[in-house]
Amino acid sequence: RLHPTPCPYDEVSTRALRHLSGVGHSVANTAKRAVVIVGSAVAFGEQMDRPKAVGCAIAIAGTFLYAIADDIPRLGGGTKRD
């Protein structure tokens, strides 16, 4: 069921997208994920030992690369394939 008022996250995300490029928005969204992961670990007193940190880094990097996959050819000077 749709709510009559927008979710605060969606509102902030839409406003940010108006001022950022798609890649910039993806970078900001990935940074948000990192902050949420680290903040949650601190809030719940979870130890961030090496395996957990590596897992988080892989997940964040994978999310970021997935988000900008369509823009990678343009960033390198190539053309985007249809």
Side-chain angles (χ1 to χ4, degrees):
R1 182 171 171 229
L2 295 175
H3 296 283
T5 57
C7 173
Y9 170 77
D10 292 338
E11 182 69 24
V12 171
S13 181
T14 302
R15 288 180 187 222
L17 192 54
R18 289 182 192 149
H19 300 286
L20 297 171
S21 68
V23 174
H25 191 265
S26 295
V27 170
N29 196 29
T30 302
K32 177 205 59 138
R33 292 174 193 276
V35 169
V36 167
I37 289 170
V38 172
S40 297
V42 170
F44 293 114
E46 188 70 28
Q47 296 291 329
M48 286 295 286
D49 53 3
R50 180 166 284 167
K52 289 180 186 176
V54 169
C56 288
I58 290 170
I60 291 168
T63 301
F64 174 71
L65 290 173
Y66 179 80
I68 67 163
D70 288 341
D71 295 321
I72 290 174
R74 285 185 279 172
L75 294 173
T79 59
K80 184 178 176 182
R81 294 183 183 168
D82 290 329

